[in-house]
Amino acid sequence: MAEFTMELNDEQKEVRDWLHGFAADVIRPAAAEWDEREETPWPVIQEAAKVGIYSLDFYAQQYFDPTGLGIPMAMEELFWGDAGIALSIVGTGLAAVGVLANGTEEQIGTWIPQMYGDTNDVKVAAFCSSEPDAGSDVASMRTRAVYDEAKDEWVLNGTKTWATNGGIANVHVVVAVVDPELGSKGHASFIVPPNTPGLSQGQKFKKHGIRASHTAEVVLENVRIPGSCLLGGKEKLDDRLARARERAKTGGERVKNAAMATFEASRPAVGAMAVGTARAAYEVALDYAKTREQFGRPIIDNQGVAFQLADMRTSIDAARLLVWRASWMAINGKPFTAAEGSMSKLFASESAKKVTAQAIQILGGNGYTREYPVERMHRDAAIYTIFEGTSEVQRLVIARTLSGMPIR
């Protein structure tokens, strides 16, 4: 087990500086254009693939960093560049985590490479869990997966929403209901291979922020996939469902569903994204406050501005500490006995919204225009308190974990 430390080693520092350079030289100059276009920035993703950032190897190296700091460090630097473009680069990772968390070694080796493609033909993947009537309330999921034993195929029907890369992905990971009577415990995850008939893109959303990231509905109409596309395999599913049914009768311990396993693994990473956006806004505000003069002196000379900057930096550093702690715990197999993963996402996402709003206030009228990036950063920051579990859901998870009570 790696000891927890706030000091990056030389290799991690080298990776951090490399990522920061890419974010500064490639992502930031393109940010305003792709935010206005509201399209997937394929040229930037391709550049990321060429240098090795958008690749299975890079993701795996960071994911299996024994200190747990590889992923949060990478997320912070890329999202410091721009949240929308960065999400287009890392969005495939959520689908990859879904496979890593629930798949067999063969499934991991088969499908994750197809999620990324190669430097000449980059691909993306999508993780599809939310539905029009089932966002945070995963127990209300309606997308069904029915097993056709005669053909050893699963048949999927339903509509998913808020799917990053939904419809344009090469590989879709879909969470569906296999046993409605078990509620959220009766869910399973499936791979939908490329060009599978019956899968189509529904509505593409025009969003408040992260506009360079493609978000859309995914419609599944009699989508037939091989039995081997059930993540973890049928035997493991049958065993899990049997245990869930038995526990339902006896009131035994809770069984985690496939979607929640993915979200628990990714929450600290989302917290790191929020830290990156907050840090970017803080740095713009700090530089502006040092150079902008009013009444014959820089505005940072005023306590009203200086104290805001002090609070902003304190929130950012505290958020990073929570994110790094949760990431270290996760990689070292330490259970989140106090919902530390949810804590990290909750505090970091709320901090990002507050810090970016303070940055606009410090820049005044300039901060409210698109001539300065803090306006875009504030719009982008709004998503962190919403996706992969709202702030309200994080508080619910934390409260339930601390109290042991079924708080509603």
Side-chain angles (χ1 to χ4, degrees), residues 29-79:
E33 175 188 350
W34 291 100
D35 177 71
E36 291 287 345
R37 292 175 63 167
E38 298 191 54
E39 298 174 358
T40 300
W42 291 107
V44 184
I45 298 175
Q46 183 122 27
E47 286 300 311
K50 287 180 180 177
V51 300
I53 294 173
Y54 187 75
S55 70
L56 171 61
D57 288 344
F58 174 75
Y59 187 83
Q61 286 173 11
Q62 304 315 310
Y63 186 84
F64 292 111
D65 180 340
T67 69
L69 303 185
I71 288 293
M73 177 190 64
M75 295 299 109
E76 180 177 336
E77 294 303 329
L78 292 173
F79 280 73

Side-chain angles (χ1 to χ4, degrees), residues 292-348:
R292 173 69 168 174
E293 291 191 359
Q294 290 285 283
F295 306 106
R297 60 180 183 175
I299 62 173
I300 199 170
D301 280 356
N302 299 301
Q303 285 187 2
V305 173
F307 284 8
Q308 280 197 77
L309 289 163
D311 287 343
M312 292 159 73
R313 177 58 186 267
T314 300
S315 293
I316 292 166
D317 282 13
R320 185 184 296 109
L321 276 167
L322 286 170
V323 167
W324 283 21
R325 179 185 69 168
S327 301
W328 173 80
M329 290 176 68
I331 198 67
N332 285 287
K334 289 186 171 291
F336 290 158
T337 55
E340 289 87 351
S342 290
M343 282 185 184
S344 69
K345 181 187 182 296
L346 171 64
F347 189 82

